Amino acid sequence: MKQTSENSTNASLNRLKKIINQLIDEYEENCSLLNDQIQAVINHDITSLNELIERQVRVYETLKSSEEIFKKHLKEVRQRHDLSSQSLQEMLNDLEEPTQTLNAMRDRLHAQVRKTEGLRNQLMDLLNFAKRQNAEIFKAICEAGSDKMGGYNADGEKQRQSNSYAINQKA
Amino acid sequence: MNSIFEIAKSGLFSARQSSTIVSNNIANANTPGYTRQRADLSATVMRKNGYTVGRGVTVKQVEQLRNHLTDQQIMKKDSALGNLNEQNRVYKQLQSTLTSNSGNGLDTQLSNFFNAFSQLSNNPQDISQRNALLSKAKTLMAGFHNAANNLENIARQTKKSAQSRVKKINDLLQNLQSVNKEIARSHANGKPDLNGKDQQTQQLKSLSKLVNVGKIYNKNGTVEVRIGGITVLGGGQVSTVKAETAPGKHVFRLRLDNGKLIKPGGGALAADQSMIQTVIPNTEQHLNNMAKTLVQQVNKIHSSGYGLNDSVQRNFFNSTNISAQDISINKSLLNNPGNIAASSAPGEAGNNNIAIKLSNLQNKKVLNNQTLGSNAVSLMSKPGNRITELKSQIDTQKSAKQLLFNQQQSQSGVNIDNQLTNLIKYQNAYQASAKVITAGRQMSNTLLSIV
């Protein structure tokens, strides 16, 4: 009976290892995608950027389902061992079985998620910068009317006015 | 992680430079002569353990999308058009001087003058016919005087406008010298002065409209300029062009401050020179020949006849005043119309032989194998014919220039529609990417809380 229980615990922990491994692989792929997106923004390569965004959405779908599986399996392990711990880290501390491999895998996953987070922040900064620059260029376009479209302000100084007609003229 | 930040930093720097260039392009979309600029990006790589590792992106250089060959061709067209337009302007003045809107041109005045002799031959004793003849003769004299004075005025005005063009040439050469200095300084600092290059091209184009310009570009981007094969700007030196004219004479020469004579070779100034030295003098010469022939031919017949009052043979015109400007009627005829010779014999009041001979003079080919009337028509119609030719040449040159201009615009011009479309594409892609990233961030937070 004890043998059966031990086998069942090992199978459950092996399954957890597989799920974590899969999550690590998927986060690595995500990192690579984020790197490619950073490069595409830098190179003004909109075609690649659009393709990468589509791939990113697909990767998120996979990650989401892997994460659900991970959460579900974590719950099962917790119930099987009658543990109250909420996180994997706490659970591994509470388990009686040796968990060095799982601990190392958890650390790898944690580091990978952090790395992904860093890249995401980097890409967000880059995107915000690019959007701001674009907005400035839009403003320049709107002010690219001819001088005839300009007027005078209350102080009598010449002032250019934004003109949507002028920007549609062929240069 | 550090390498990621380095790559992103180089990317941000390049993106900022690229965006500044695009902003500058758009702001100058309506600036004449502005050339679109483009950032030439290149990947930065590093060799590590035998592998090539990407280190981001850098702006290698900012280049101008300008084709010098097209510029060269446009300048040639500008030079030709400048020449044709100036010729056209002066010929139009000549036309309005020599022709009359009321149809009372020199040809009509000549015809009226000879017809008055015909009228006199019908009744040679009639004083009122003699007065009518004198009146027609006075109108003809005024016609010659006006034409001669107006031609002189046109010559004077053309000289004036040529002199103002010479001043403009000197201003342009001075500007080019300043632009050259700026370009050379920027080149020495390793940052090409692209706006200076635009200014240089604009100044050269303006110069090409005035004279035929030879250009040699130096490696540092400065330009050496030659007019008529002689260097006027180069080696850090600029020459001053001076106009040489002589009052009352048909002379217009260009001389450099070092004493060398130069030929404009083309452009508006070459047209002015040709008008001052050739076209206007030839027109004056033709008019003077007509006046001289009229005086000589009329006097020859008139001085062989007799008036009503005595047996003295007189000239009809003053024989010493034979130019169009000073042609005049003999005073004794003006004071006493009876002295007009209609008769071939003294004391024969009814004799009309001389009057008939003088009337017939209008049909005799006395100048350039043509009658005086035909000479007048030819003189009057020459500017009109030339204007028609010039108009067709101007139209051809204009359409050729437009073709080149369109070609240049497709290479150098800023197309705001394209820029705007690109910006919208970029903005949409950036927003989509940001949205997806935000979703991913929430997911990671959940995972981190349970790992």
Side-chain angles (χ1 to χ4, degrees):
Chain A
M1 193 66 186
K2 195 180 174 191
Q3 185 69 37
T4 318
S5 168
E6 239 174 58
N7 284 345
S8 168
T9 303
N10 280 340
S12 174
L13 290 179
N14 282 338
R15 170 95 176 108
L16 188 61
K17 280 178 195 167
K18 268 187 187 169
I19 294 169
I20 294 174
N21 254 337
Q22 195 180 338
L23 270 171
I24 291 169
D25 288 346
E26 283 167 5
Y27 266 95
E28 272 177 357
E29 192 190 346
N30 198 8
C31 274
S32 156
L33 264 178
L34 287 167
N35 266 326
D36 290 348
Q37 282 179 78
I38 288 171
Q39 206 56 49
V41 174
I42 288 168
N43 294 342
H44 279 254
D45 187 350
I46 299 305
T47 317
S48 299
L49 185 61
N50 283 328
E51 282 171 13
L52 290 166
I53 292 168
E54 281 177 31
R55 275 176 60 194
Q56 179 80 70
V57 171
R58 283 199 296 275
V59 166
Y60 279 161
E61 290 299 318
T62 322
L63 262 176
K64 206 173 176 180
S65 70
S66 301
E67 202 182 285
E68 284 302 315
I69 294 167
F70 174 65
K71 274 174 23 189
K72 201 174 156 191
H73 194 71
L74 210 60
K75 196 178 169 186
E76 278 174 25
V77 175
R78 208 165 41 225
Q79 283 170 353
R80 182 185 298 276
H81 294 276
D82 195 21
L83 299 170
S84 60
S85 47
Q86 289 302 308
S87 71
L88 176 63
Q89 172 89 69
E90 291 166 356
M91 204 179 79
L92 292 175
N93 290 341
D94 295 345
L95 276 173
E96 291 168 3
E97 288 79 4
T99 55
Q100 288 95 331
T101 320
L102 261 171
N103 258 322
M105 286 175 77
R106 190 216 76 94
D107 289 348
R108 263 184 72 202
L109 177 61
H110 195 267
Q112 196 59 49
V113 176
R114 284 279 179 213
K115 186 181 171 186
T116 311
E117 192 65 9
L119 278 175
R120 264 197 209 110
N121 289 339
Q122 190 63 46
L123 181 57
M124 277 304 278
D125 284 350
L126 197 58
L127 288 168
N128 285 334
F129 167 80
K131 282 198 286 185
R132 253 198 333 273
Q133 286 291 318
N134 254 12
E136 276 177 28
I137 297 168
F138 267 112
K139 190 167 169 276
I141 287 180
C142 293
E143 286 174 351
S146 83
D147 283 343
K148 284 181 186 170
M149 296 301 181
Y152 292 88
N153 63 17
D155 299 327
E157 292 161 342
K158 207 169 183 187
Q159 198 177 36
R160 291 185 82 173
Q161 283 173 359
S162 297
N163 186 285
S164 57
Y165 171 72
I167 62 168
N168 288 326
Q169 283 181 329
K170 288 257 180 195
Chain B
M1 278 298 263
N2 269 347
S3 71
I4 290 164
F5 284 116
E6 279 302 311
I7 291 169
K9 201 170 84 182
S10 75
L12 284 174
F13 179 71
S14 303
R16 187 190 289 274
Q17 271 202 303
S18 301
S19 301
T20 308
I21 290 162
V22 174
S23 300
N24 193 38
N25 280 345
I26 290 164
N28 284 291
N30 292 333
T31 307
Y34 177 78
T35 309
R36 185 155 52 100
Q37 295 174 8
R38 185 175 64 187
D40 189 2
L41 300 175
S42 83
T44 317
V45 290
M46 181 185 77
R47 286 225 159 238
K48 195 177 176 184
N49 303 331
Y51 296 101
T52 304
V53 182
R55 300 283 296 167
V57 64
T58 179
V59 176
K60 202 166 80 182
Q61 62 169 357
V62 179
E63 58 177 355
Q64 273 184 316
L65 299 168
R66 181 176 279 286
N67 184 333
H68 278 291
L69 191 66
T70 316
D71 278 341
Q72 193 88 0
Q73 286 170 313
I74 288 180
M75 282 182 209
K76 274 188 182 169
K77 295 288 168 210
D78 275 338
S79 181
L81 268 171
N83 187 288
L84 294 170
N85 281 329
E86 179 59 6
Q87 280 191 55
N88 195 36
R89 188 186 70 82
V90 181
Y91 271 116
K92 273 184 178 167
Q93 286 186 342
L94 286 174
Q95 189 186 35
S96 65
T97 290
L98 297 171
T99 54
S100 155
N101 290 337
S102 58
N104 196 19
L106 210 54
D107 59 332
T108 314
Q109 289 164 359
L110 273 166
S111 171
N112 290 343
F113 171 68
F114 288 118
N115 285 339
F117 275 110
S118 174
Q119 295 290 323
L120 181 65
S121 71
N122 293 334
N123 197 353
Q125 291 156 305
D126 189 349
I127 293 294
S128 65
Q129 290 293 346
R130 287 168 182 265
N131 280 327
L133 168 65
L134 282 175
S135 164
K136 299 293 178 194
K138 280 180 194 168
T139 309
L140 178 61
M141 295 303 98
F144 271 110
H145 296 162
N146 274 339
N149 288 334
N150 286 338
L151 282 175
E152 202 179 288
N153 277 337
I154 292 171
R156 206 178 302 130
Q157 280 170 16
T158 311
K159 269 184 194 173
K160 254 189 182 176
S161 57
Q163 277 164 334
S164 76
R165 287 196 169 99
V166 170
K167 188 182 172 301
K168 201 173 172 190
I169 288 173
N170 286 324
D171 291 345
L172 286 167
L173 289 174
Q174 286 294 341
N175 290 347
L176 274 167
Q177 167 83 333
S178 310
V179 173
N180 264 354
K181 278 183 186 167
E182 285 300 318
I183 290 174
R185 197 176 299 140
S186 306
H187 184 266
N189 292 337
K191 289 177 184 170
D193 181 1
L194 298 182
N195 292 334
K197 291 290 286 177
D198 276 345
Q199 277 182 40
Q200 186 187 63
T201 309
Q202 275 301 96
Q203 305 281 352
L204 285 170
K205 273 187 181 172
S206 302
L207 198 58
S208 296
K209 286 177 189 168
L210 303 174
V211 282
N212 210 356
V213 181
K215 302 170 284 293
I216 299 171
Y217 288 97
N218 297 319
K219 276 184 182 169
N220 63 358
T222 57
V223 68
E224 288 183 18
V225 177
R226 289 176 182 185
I227 300 175
I230 295 169
T231 305
V232 289
L233 173 71
Q237 299 290 316
V238 59
S239 302
T240 307
V241 183
K242 283 177 185 163
E244 274 188 0
T245 55
K249 287 187 179 173
H250 302 299
V251 176
F252 187 85
R253 284 192 295 257
L254 299 178
R255 199 181 286 279
L256 294 182
D257 44 8
N258 61 13
K260 282 181 185 168
L261 268 177
I262 54 168
K263 287 179 181 171
L269 205 56
D272 284 336
Q273 195 179 43
S274 153
M275 286 292 165
I276 295 165
Q277 298 197 146
T278 315
V279 176
I280 297 172
N282 285 351
T283 311
E284 280 179 349
Q285 190 59 48
H286 195 174
L287 191 70
N288 283 335
N289 285 345
M290 279 174 61
K292 187 180 169 185
T293 308
L294 179 74
V295 169
Q296 288 173 342
Q297 293 293 327
V298 170
N299 280 351
K300 192 177 159 191
I301 298 169
H302 192 268
S303 63
S304 67
Y306 302 91
L308 295 173
N309 307 317
D310 51 31
S311 56
V312 178
Q313 292 181 310
R314 297 178 176 90
N315 282 330
F316 189 90
F317 296 109
N318 287 320
S319 57
T320 48
N321 302 339
I322 54 168
S323 74
Q325 209 150 27
D326 58 12
I327 184 171
S328 59
I329 304 164
N330 187 345
K331 243 184 189 170
S332 72
L333 270 64
L334 287 170
N335 292 337
N336 189 349
N339 286 338
I340 294 172
S343 162
S344 58
E348 290 183 9
N351 185 329
N352 62 1
N353 289 343
I354 295 298
I356 289 170
K357 271 188 181 177
L358 283 167
S359 167
N360 289 340
L361 189 59
Q362 70 177 313
N363 301 320
K364 288 202 171 154
K365 294 177 179 178
V366 287
L367 179 65
N368 302 325
N369 204 26
Q370 284 179 317
T371 64
L372 280 170
S374 300
N375 269 284
V377 170
S378 144
L379 181 78
M380 287 158 63
S381 58
K382 213 177 259 176
N385 292 340
R386 188 72 187 117
I387 287 167
T388 312
E389 282 171 26
L390 285 168
K391 194 178 174 302
S392 116
Q393 286 174 9
I394 288 169
D395 288 345
T396 313
Q397 293 288 349
K398 268 188 182 167
S399 45
K401 189 189 162 187
Q402 189 58 45
L403 273 175
L404 287 167
F405 186 72
N406 291 345
Q407 197 180 325
Q408 190 197 45
Q409 280 297 296
S410 68
Q411 292 157 347
S412 324
V414 181
N415 186 333
I416 284 197
D417 292 351
N418 276 352
Q419 305 276 1
L420 194 65
T421 313
N422 284 340
L423 286 175
I424 291 168
K425 274 189 204 164
Y426 289 155
Q427 200 74 349
N428 285 344
Y430 296 152
Q431 273 168 358
S433 180
K435 210 170 174 182
V436 176
I437 298 301
T438 311
R441 188 180 275 171
Q442 286 164 358
M443 210 183 292
S444 298
N445 288 341
T446 316
L447 189 65
L448 280 173
S449 67
I450 55 169
V451 174

